[in-house]
Amino acid sequence: MTKDQPVQPSAQEEHNDRDRRRYFRIEDRMGLTIVPVEAAEEARLIESLDAPSSRAGLLNDLHAIRELHLPEQRALEYKFPTVATYVKVIELQIEALAQAIGEGEGFPSSADTEACISAQGLGLDWPDALEIDSLVELRLTLFPDRVHIRALARVVRCDEADDKPGYQIAVDFAYLREADREAIIRHVYRLQRLQLQAQAEEAFEARYASKHLPDKPKPKHE
């Protein structure tokens, strides 16, 4: 191949590029732990993520079921609003119970890590170097709803930071339950909506202030 011939991306690279374009990314503060995983442990970890006994994603499973049955919920709210209100109370009680169960699974309890998050993966500053293409186990807590995400990820970038100690890393989810992916997507959309609302309010306040500024006094002519 000559220098003038373009390098054709592999099928996997094209798939990853499509995923990156499809998922929105947003800056956020979260709880995060990263634990290196040996390649021999990959199958065991995936099995534990899928195990029915895993309680970490219980709340995300409940939300996924609710999203699946939204048409029935809307119909119930229209025909029997009192019943729908009572069902909502029961849902909140179940969610509180699922949240309490998930709290005992060793997830971070404080939002002490800044990261760029999407349903594709994470980008962040990290104190330790991670080997490119190595596997890591992620445990995330997304605030303020304390959404718990446990996933297997692959390190796709690790560069030494220029202006501070540590490394700039990026990880792509290698295995993520669909209910957990949908939970991340809902979280990202919620943050985007809040940011857009804040920007619109700031723009409105700026326009309002500019229209109601006191007129400057005209200079007096001698």
Side-chain angles (χ1 to χ4, degrees):
M1 183 173 61
T2 65
K3 293 182 179 180
D4 294 333
Q5 291 177 316
V7 177
Q8 296 297 325
S10 66
Q12 182 63 42
E13 288 172 339
E14 291 179 346
H15 175 74
N16 292 340
D17 288 342
R18 286 196 298 270
D19 282 344
R20 290 188 181 94
R21 287 193 294 267
R22 185 179 6 151
Y23 296 125
F24 291 104
R25 296 175 178 268
I26 199 165
E27 294 288 340
D28 191 21
R29 288 187 65 88
M30 66 192 68
L32 174 65
T33 61
I34 300 178
V35 179
V37 175
E38 297 294 334
E41 296 295 312
E42 179 179 357
R44 180 197 60 78
L45 179 56
I46 291 176
E47 184 179 357
S48 70
L49 292 175
D50 275 336
S53 60
S54 177
R55 301 174 296 179
L58 180 58
L59 184 61
N60 299 337
D61 291 335
L62 293 174
H63 287 165
I65 294 172
R66 184 174 63 189
E67 292 287 332
L68 185 63
H69 294 281
L70 274 180
E72 293 89 340
Q73 179 182 343
R74 297 288 184 264
L76 187 64
E77 291 173 350
Y78 177 75
K79 294 182 178 179
F80 307 103
T82 303
V83 176
T85 300
Y86 182 67
V87 169
K88 183 63 177 178
V89 172
I90 296 176
E91 281 186 348
L92 293 175
Q93 292 174 333
I94 295 174
E95 288 182 3
L97 179 59
Q99 185 72 64
I101 292 174
E103 291 292 340
E105 293 293 298
F107 283 83
S109 58
S110 60
D112 54 9
T113 302
E114 292 186 1
C116 182
I117 183 173
S118 76
Q120 170 71 19
L122 298 173
L124 68 152
D125 294 331
W126 196 248
D128 304 316
L130 298 173
E131 184 179 352
I132 296 294
D133 208 37
S134 65
L135 296 171
V136 293
E137 178 186 354
L138 304 181
R139 286 176 182 258
L140 294 88
T141 304
L142 305 179
F143 295 89
D145 296 330
R146 303 185 71 84
V147 174
H148 294 150
I149 306 290
R150 183 169 173 243
L152 178 68
R154 188 174 301 277
V155 180
V156 296
R157 177 190 175 193
C158 182
D159 299 328
E160 192 170 353
D162 297 329
D163 54 348
K164 54 186 175 181
Y167 299 84
Q168 295 177 332
I169 70 169
V171 297
D172 281 354
F173 295 124
Y175 187 84
L176 180 67
R177 297 186 322 124
E178 193 58 34
D180 294 336
R181 192 184 303 277
E182 291 299 324
I184 293 176
I185 292 173
R186 286 194 300 270
H187 178 76
V188 170
Y189 283 168
R190 176 179 177 274
L191 290 182
Q192 286 182 323
R193 185 175 67 251
L194 292 175
Q195 288 185 0
L196 290 174
Q197 289 175 349
Q199 292 171 3
E201 290 174 0
E202 290 178 0
F204 174 80
E205 291 175 357
R207 289 195 301 269
Y208 181 85
S210 64
K211 291 180 179 179
H212 294 79
L213 286 175
D215 295 333
K216 294 182 179 179
K218 296 180 180 180
K220 297 181 179 180
H221 297 286
E222 296 183 357

